[in-house]
Amino acid sequence: MFVGHFAVGLAAKRVEPALSLGTLVLASMMADLLWGIFMIAGIEHVQFKSGMGAANYLAASDFVMSHSLLMDGLWAGLLAAAYFLRRRYPRGAWVLFGVVLSHWLLDWISHRPDMPLAPGTHRYFGLGLWACIPAALIVEGGFWLVAVIVYARATHPKKRAGVYVYWSVVAVLTLAWYNNLAGPPPRDARMAPIVSFTFFSLAVAWAYWMNQLRSADAGT
Ligand SMILES: [Zn+2]
């Protein structure tokens, strides 16, 4: 998924307002951020075929370190432990653990069967939602829309920028998602990991900034 992962981060802010939206988005996007790092480092690989939409052009069979269930559990544990050591807040740590793991669940829903369980296993899972664009628009788009509204209602802007920066980046993410879902493959396959890692890092930075611009305590 794409905006579905951001939706988890936005909705989780309502569940646990003590966590920064930035940390929540970092958690929900952790598998894709690691994917970018591992591809740049040459540990994981991706090939692009021709065709429209990531479900058709993406051949990402080699992403077991970032996208297997076992490794995602490990990354989730590491992030939750790091947070706990810093803040000593068990509930926040558990929420982060769940948010990191949600990535596997959502990718399992959207990917064709290419999601591994653990390094060394050769069975792959996936319901393939993204192969049917209308269904993806309804399911993932619906979830995204609900989460965008939930976050907007659970927080309030401290300054006008809290409105503009929120809605303009929501629009950018929505367009980037649609382009991934239905658009052509990247022109430069070698640059693709760097472009996507930069884009997702900027999205995490936006989420930390939003957390500054919008306050979670209603009405004050
Ligand atoms: Zn992913």
Side-chain angles (χ1 to χ4, degrees):
M1 281 201 186
F2 189 115
V3 286
H5 300 305
F6 289 92
V8 171
L10 289 174
K13 179 71 184 176
R14 162 88 194 274
V15 174
E16 182 45 82
L19 285 165
S20 166
L21 182 67
T23 309
L24 287 166
V25 169
L26 177 77
S28 69
M29 289 299 291
M30 196 160 177
D32 283 351
L33 287 161
L34 289 169
W35 189 41
I37 293 170
F38 292 157
M39 279 196 295
I40 293 165
I43 297 167
E44 297 190 341
H45 305 90
V46 68
Q47 290 104 37
F48 297 111
K49 301 179 285 185
S50 57
M52 296 295 272
N56 295 316
Y57 66 66
L58 206 61
S61 49
D62 179 18
F63 60 176
V64 71
M65 293 301 285
S66 63
H67 274 75
S68 65
L69 184 59
L70 183 75
M71 291 308 291
D72 285 351
L74 183 75
W75 305 127
L78 285 174
L79 185 73
Y83 174 83
F84 181 75
L85 289 175
R86 236 176 104 97
R87 299 287 154 103
R88 305 272 163 198
Y89 181 45
R91 187 183 142 90
W94 278 113
V95 170
L96 284 178
F97 185 84
V99 169
V100 175
L101 266 189
S102 75
H103 193 104
W104 195 92
L105 185 72
L106 295 190
D107 277 0
W108 168 70
I109 293 170
S110 61
H111 284 215
R112 291 175 187 275
D114 66 358
M115 296 291 291
L117 288 182
T121 62
H122 298 286
R123 283 193 67 198
Y124 299 94
F125 301 85
L127 299 181
L129 176 70
W130 271 35
C132 178
I133 291 173
L137 288 174
I138 293 167
V139 175
E140 188 174 0
F143 178 37
W144 172 232
L145 184 67
V146 168
V148 162
I149 294 168
V150 162
Y151 178 80
R153 289 175 59 115
T155 58
H156 73 277
K158 293 187 210 164
K159 312 175 196 164
R160 297 295 287 163
V163 178
Y164 302 134
V165 178
Y166 180 61
W167 291 105
S168 52
V169 175
V170 163
V172 168
L173 288 172
T174 308
L175 289 173
W177 165 60
Y178 186 76
N179 187 51
N180 245 248
L181 188 63
R187 278 200 205 129
D188 186 343
R190 288 184 59 202
M191 282 300 288
I194 298 166
V195 172
S196 76
F197 180 73
T198 307
F199 183 86
F200 291 144
S201 301
L202 287 172
V204 172
W206 162 76
Y208 275 109
W209 192 23
M210 283 317 308
N211 206 68
Q212 299 291 315
L213 292 175
R214 299 183 66 99
S215 146
D217 28 293
T220 51

